[in-house]
Amino acid sequence: MPDLLRKPPLLATPLITHVVGSRVIVYETTTSTNDCALRLGGDGTVIVAETQTAGRGRHGRAWHSKPGMGLYFSVAFEGAVEGLAFAAPLAVRDAVAPFADAKLKWPNDVLIDGKKFCGVLVETRKGRTVVGIGINVHHMIEDFPEDVRHRATSIEAATGVHCDRGELLRDVLTHLDERVMVIRSGNVDTVFAEWADACDVVGRRVRWTRCEGVVDAIDRDGALIVRAAGGLQRVMLGEIVELEGA
């Protein structure tokens, strides 16, 4: 297995990007790459860790960062980057396209064969925005905690492909940079439309804490507009939504 820390193809030659990867810092262990990125900052700085002791996903859920198995990294940006939560899952989907038909699940999970292999977490603090991306790369099903094995997978478990983590990181960062440049050129609507289409949720029935209904649209903030018995309801990104058939 290639070792990202000892033989990093990403660091051997420069990234051909505009902002993402302006600086790359690799840790063997850290608490959370998002925390490091928020603390260190620098527009386009990438923080990579072989393992995290306090990795987290949405709603504060723990993200299991087993050493040597996954790709755990965050990218820092100075100021707000509208649409970053749309750009990141699209970048992952495109990076794995040569060997996996990945799908997006609202709001920002990436799946292979209906199981999650990638999560995205965007956080903003003191004028700085970071996007954290966790990708299960080499895990086998037995590597996951028992309570998530039915819904989790990895690139290798799902496809049989033993991809190089450094090359995968390079590809994700390249695709992310492309979309960040689109956003910064004033065309965030282009990225939003691509993300909304990829989520493929409009017209589907959903259930959430209050009631259930059919998704009528996705608004510009990424929230679902659901047609329920009591009329239109707005379901925010932070709320738990279960998609039937997903």
Side-chain angles (χ1 to χ4, degrees):
M1 177 189 303
D3 188 328
L4 178 63
L5 298 179
R6 294 191 178 92
K7 187 183 177 183
L10 171 62
L11 304 181
T13 56
L15 269 170
I16 304 175
T17 55
H18 295 87
V19 60
V20 174
S22 59
R23 179 170 60 150
V24 179
I25 303 172
V26 182
Y27 293 96
E28 184 172 351
T29 301
T30 189
T31 53
S32 158
T33 58
N34 261 24
D35 288 345
C36 286
L38 283 165
R39 184 178 69 253
L40 296 175
D43 207 35
T45 294
V46 179
I47 305 295
V48 187
E50 186 68 83
T51 186
Q52 303 174 103
T53 58
R56 61 184 180 274
R58 291 186 304 117
H59 311 300
R61 297 189 185 103
W63 183 271
H64 302 280
S65 309
K66 193 168 183 177
M69 294 291 185
L71 192 52
Y72 319 115
F73 63 99
S74 298
V75 186
F77 298 94
E78 296 302 324
V81 183
E82 185 184 8
L84 193 55
F86 309 143
L90 289 169
V92 173
R93 180 202 64 180
D94 290 354
V96 303
F99 43 82
D101 182 21
K103 304 293 185 184
L104 270 58
K105 180 179 179 181
W106 184 91
N108 50 22
D109 290 340
V110 193
L111 316 180
I112 300 175
D113 295 334
K115 293 186 176 183
K116 179 176 176 177
F117 78 98
C118 172
V120 172
L121 178 65
V122 175
E123 296 182 297
T124 301
R125 193 180 303 163
K126 295 181 179 179
R128 183 171 289 156
T129 304
V130 304
V131 56
I133 300 176
I135 304 175
N136 299 329
V137 182
H138 298 308
H139 302 68
M140 293 294 102
I141 297 304
E142 58 270 20
D143 293 317
F144 296 111
E146 288 189 15
D147 61 331
V148 302
R149 289 179 184 175
H150 65 289
R151 63 177 185 271
T153 192
S154 73
I155 293 171
E156 188 162 348
T159 68
V161 175
H162 188 89
C163 65
D164 183 282
R165 290 181 295 160
E167 292 297 334
L168 178 60
L169 178 59
R170 171 187 293 280
D171 290 344
V172 174
L173 295 180
T174 299
H175 286 295
L176 180 62
D177 183 77
E178 291 169 355
R179 289 185 172 86
V180 168
M181 295 310 296
V182 171
I183 290 169
R184 287 187 166 179
S185 69
N187 293 307
V188 65
D189 285 346
T190 300
V191 177
F192 167 76
E194 184 184 12
W195 168 82
D197 182 64
C199 285
D200 191 27
V201 69
V202 174
R204 299 186 66 176
R205 179 167 293 277
V206 299
R207 295 191 300 273
W208 72 103
T209 51
R210 294 195 299 274
C211 55
E212 68 176 64
V214 176
V215 178
D216 205 52
I218 304 180
D219 74 13
R220 187 59 175 63
D221 293 326
L224 300 182
I225 306 302
V226 181
R227 190 172 298 279
L232 292 179
Q233 301 282 339
R234 187 171 186 266
V235 183
M236 294 295 294
L237 291 174
E239 298 184 37
I240 296 173
V241 176
E242 181 179 340
L243 306 180
E244 291 188 352

